[in-house]
Amino acid sequence: MKTSFSYEGIKKKGYKVTRQREIILDILRKANVHLSADEIYIKAKSRSPGIGLTTIYRTLEMLYNLGYVNKYDFGEGRARYELNDTMVETCKHHHHLVCLRCNRVIDYTDFVPQETELITKTISGISRKYGFKVQTHIIQFYGICKECQKRKNKNGRL
Amino acid sequence: MKTSFSYEGIKKKGYKVTRQREIILDILRKANVHLSADEIYIKAKSRSPGIGLTTIYRTLEMLYNLGYVNKYDFGEGRARYELNDTMVETCKHHHHLVCLRCNRVIDYTDFVPQETELITKTISGISRKYGFKVQTHIIQFYGICKECQKRKNKNGRL
DNA sequence: TTGAAAATGAAAACCAGTTTCAGTTACGAG
DNA sequence: CTCGTAACTGAAACTGGTTTTCATTTTCAA
Ligand SMILES: [Zn+2]
Ligand SMILES: [Zn+2]
Ligand SMILES: [Zn+2]
Ligand SMILES: [Zn+2]
């Protein structure tokens, strides 16, 4: 555990830097997918077998309250987490494409031209119209991914 | 229960029109907010005390599979449902502003012009780049509503 | 070094949602 | 209008993710 770049923010808020939290943060930092609490637990256990699932949840909540992780619901009945760009400079803000057939989630950061600009304008428009101060947003497109389009349509709403 | 305008779609798919389903549909039709399964259950029970929560869940799932209701997660740990515009002509497609302090959810249908442009361009961009066929989307802005901005900031991430 | 506040892990509790199953109902074929 | 059957129902048990409880341990500023 060498990179201590973000621990200051944690200490400043009165939270303590523990071995468990270092491990969880490291796992999140290295992940390039959205992890569930349970997936983090498995990974953490292999490094520190005594760690408890409760600690995973508590740490994720702390990081969420600090605004360091995003928490997503892709309709699987459990949350998924990822460090956001306030924490990791390599993690760029992105949106999601969720396949309704295979449940795969595609992140995309390479927004179509003008998308970023349009979002900025939309946010300021919302602020003007509704007096609502936007902090974050979630944009998810649901549909059928390229691979699934090749397969035969099975039952369901798809 | 007079309005039977949408029951044909249900029958056509091999589902039966039962008294319970009529009640649930009627509750959804009259609601002007997003209801949770439990809230629907309370309302339904006052009309038909014998109704079971299981039936609420099963009916909502059926309606979701038929594409008649939208299912949302606003981070409360339970789903919320509403009839969409395929079912109710008065219900227009909308996006959400979720207040992080008071948890109120504001629907808005009068998008700022840039927002409509954003959606159109993004969907066609996604189709071109990823071969992803978009069916629906969810756009939620999280922040602080007008009323809460007047109040003092308490602890938390806000 | 040390003490108070914070964090930990195990176990139990919690709770939205699902499954099971025996009895009931809708509804189309006849 | 029967009738048979597939669909539907409600109660109860169950599931699985998340939270709470509590006794013990750890962090870290003074
Ligand atoms: Zn964005
Ligand atoms: Zn797919
Ligand atoms: Zn939209
Ligand atoms: Zn508010």
Side-chain angles (χ1 to χ4, degrees):
Chain A
M1 218 75 52
K2 44 168 79 83
T3 46
S4 62
F5 66 100
S6 52
Y7 298 155
E8 286 317 311
I10 292 174
K11 281 189 181 173
K12 231 161 241 163
K13 286 276 184 174
Y15 296 111
K16 292 176 178 174
V17 176
T18 64
R19 196 171 50 85
Q20 292 92 328
R21 288 176 177 175
E22 290 182 297
I23 290 172
I24 294 168
L25 260 173
D26 191 58
I27 289 168
L28 286 169
R29 221 179 279 120
K30 286 176 178 154
N32 52 352
V33 291
H34 320 83
L35 295 174
S36 66
D38 199 63
E39 286 166 354
I40 294 167
Y41 178 53
I42 305 292
K43 286 174 189 284
K45 233 176 153 55
S46 74
R47 288 209 221 168
S48 176
I51 202 168
L53 181 54
T54 316
T55 300
I56 310 293
Y57 278 108
R58 280 191 285 230
T59 299
L60 288 171
E61 197 198 349
M62 176 197 74
L63 293 172
Y64 180 75
N65 286 335
L66 287 170
Y68 292 162
V69 304
N70 296 332
K71 186 176 179 180
Y72 295 107
D73 173 77
F74 297 123
E76 317 166 275
R78 58 179 172 174
R80 291 193 168 272
Y81 303 82
E82 75 186 347
L83 279 185
N84 61 31
D85 45 9
T86 67
M87 197 67 168
V88 182
E89 61 296 328
T90 60
C91 169
K92 292 195 59 189
H93 174 72
H94 57 262
H95 298 164
H96 296 111
L97 309 180
V98 184
C99 180
L100 291 165
R101 204 169 294 165
C102 69
N103 294 313
R104 208 151 52 91
V105 177
I106 302 164
D107 287 4
Y108 72 98
T109 54
D110 47 339
F111 302 124
V112 297
Q114 306 155 334
E115 190 172 1
T116 308
E117 188 197 342
L118 285 169
I119 289 168
T120 308
K121 284 186 175 162
T122 300
I123 289 173
S124 73
I126 285 167
S127 168
R128 210 178 318 113
K129 250 189 187 165
Y130 304 96
F132 190 93
K133 192 187 283 175
V134 173
Q135 288 184 359
T136 60
H137 61 258
I138 288 180
I139 298 184
Q140 292 173 193
F141 292 93
Y142 291 84
I144 310 296
C145 74
K146 198 188 242 173
E147 287 68 35
C148 285
Q149 283 173 47
K150 294 172 189 160
R151 289 178 215 128
K152 267 269 170 295
N153 188 343
K154 296 263 164 68
N155 55 3
R157 74 179 303 192
L158 312 176
Chain B
M1 220 72 54
K2 44 168 78 84
T3 46
S4 63
F5 67 98
S6 52
Y7 297 155
E8 285 319 308
I10 292 174
K11 281 188 181 174
K12 229 161 241 162
K13 285 278 185 175
Y15 296 112
K16 291 177 180 175
V17 177
T18 65
R19 196 171 52 84
Q20 292 91 329
R21 287 176 179 176
E22 290 182 297
I23 290 172
I24 294 168
L25 261 173
D26 192 58
I27 289 168
L28 286 170
R29 222 179 278 120
K30 287 176 177 153
N32 52 352
V33 292
H34 319 82
L35 295 173
S36 67
D38 200 62
E39 287 166 351
I40 295 167
Y41 179 54
I42 305 290
K43 285 174 189 282
K45 234 176 153 54
S46 73
R47 287 208 222 169
S48 176
I51 202 167
L53 181 54
T54 317
T55 300
I56 311 292
Y57 279 110
R58 280 191 285 230
T59 300
L60 288 171
E61 197 197 349
M62 178 196 74
L63 293 172
Y64 181 73
N65 286 335
L66 287 169
Y68 292 161
V69 304
N70 296 331
K71 187 177 179 180
Y72 294 107
D73 174 76
F74 296 122
E76 318 165 275
R78 59 180 170 172
R80 291 192 169 271
Y81 303 83
E82 74 186 349
L83 279 186
N84 61 29
D85 45 8
T86 67
M87 198 64 168
V88 180
E89 60 295 329
T90 59
C91 170
K92 293 192 60 186
H93 173 72
H94 56 263
H95 297 166
H96 296 111
L97 307 179
V98 184
C99 179
L100 291 165
R101 205 167 295 164
C102 69
N103 294 312
R104 208 149 53 90
V105 177
I106 302 163
D107 288 4
Y108 68 98
T109 54
D110 47 340
F111 306 123
V112 298
Q114 291 90 354
E115 192 167 7
T116 310
E117 191 187 345
L118 164 69
I119 294 158
T120 311
K121 286 193 171 157
T122 303
I123 288 176
S124 73
I126 284 166
S127 168
R128 208 180 319 115
K129 264 187 184 162
Y130 299 96
F132 190 93
K133 193 186 282 176
V134 174
Q135 288 183 359
T136 59
H137 61 258
I138 288 178
I139 298 186
Q140 294 170 192
F141 291 96
Y142 290 85
I144 310 296
C145 73
K146 199 188 245 173
E147 287 69 35
C148 285
Q149 283 172 47
K150 295 172 190 161
R151 289 176 216 129
K152 267 270 171 294
N153 189 344
K154 297 265 164 66
N155 56 2
R157 73 179 303 195
L158 311 177

